Amino acid sequence: MGHPAPQGANGRPAANSAGGTPQQYLTFTLGGEMFAVAILNVKEIIEFGTVTEIPMMPTFIRGVINLRGAVVPVIDLACRFGGQPTQVARRTCIIIVELVEGDQKHDIGVMVDAVSEVLEIAAAEIEPPPAFGARIRADFISGMGKVGGKFVIILDIGRVLSVEEFALLTQFADSDPDSAG
């Protein structure tokens, strides 16, 4: 069911770099909490399908999927945040995000309980991450967005993977002879 990332929703042009322009975020649920990632990082959303497990990987790395000939690693976010591995349910999805490391771009699949909607959150409605009290590491959080009186945890998806883990994943993806370069 590969959906393209919903960009420019509601017919609005893409946000420019003006400070007051609201940014668009894709929101999703994980363990009953609402999270968001910047829509600019999101390439597409796919149904959870067959994930090939890789031996000797950390538990939060569920494995890899074949996405149109490319090997894409899949991360179980709930597990990465120190929780139990996600139980696959009817609404479980994989969000394909693009991470930029130096001059290289890498696609990573992020496993979530359910995708919610695309929201615009103005910069004025985003507070810095809490210094303590959050269930996940503060360095994973880029801010706390206020939406309808509730907080949405905005993730810094680039920090959810450490440099070493990222190198391990890209090394694996690059070593697969079937992957499309």
Side-chain angles (χ1 to χ4, degrees):
M1 145 176 129
H3 297 295
Q7 292 171 320
N10 302 332
R12 292 192 192 106
N16 61 21
S17 58
T21 307
Q23 294 294 311
Q24 291 190 325
Y25 295 89
L26 177 68
T27 59
F28 57 89
T29 55
L30 199 62
E33 279 192 84
M34 184 73 78
F35 291 90
V37 291
I39 199 78
L40 296 173
N41 296 115
V42 177
K43 288 183 77 174
E44 63 183 297
I45 302 156
I46 59 173
E47 270 184 275
F48 187 85
T50 306
V51 175
T52 306
E53 288 188 25
I54 311 167
M56 310 295 287
M57 284 282 167
T59 52
F60 68 86
I61 299 173
R62 284 297 273 253
V64 294
I65 57 171
N66 180 334
L67 187 65
R68 293 182 293 281
V71 175
V72 177
V74 176
I75 295 157
D76 185 336
L77 261 193
C79 196
R80 177 64 175 137
F81 294 159
Q84 295 297 314
T86 299
Q87 297 297 312
V88 178
R90 191 173 56 84
R91 295 190 64 202
T92 303
C93 294
I94 297 174
I95 301 170
I96 306 295
V97 295
E98 184 176 75
L99 297 182
V100 178
E101 183 194 32
D103 60 350
Q104 296 206 323
K105 294 180 179 180
H106 302 282
D107 290 348
I108 303 280
V110 178
M111 186 177 167
V112 302
D113 291 343
V115 169
S116 302
E117 60 185 325
V118 174
L119 293 176
E120 282 193 351
I121 306 174
E125 294 295 308
I126 299 175
E127 295 186 3
F132 59 88
R135 292 203 335 231
I136 66 173
R137 286 173 29 188
D139 60 330
F140 290 170
I141 304 172
S142 72
M144 303 292 288
K146 284 188 281 194
V147 179
K150 294 182 181 171
F151 277 112
V152 175
I153 300 168
I154 301 171
L155 294 177
D156 181 339
I157 206 73
R159 288 194 178 158
V160 170
L161 283 178
S162 74
V163 174
E164 297 81 23
E165 292 157 350
F166 197 75
L168 187 68
L169 285 175
T170 54
Q171 179 183 350
F172 176 82
D174 292 345
S175 69
D176 188 325
D178 296 329
S179 82

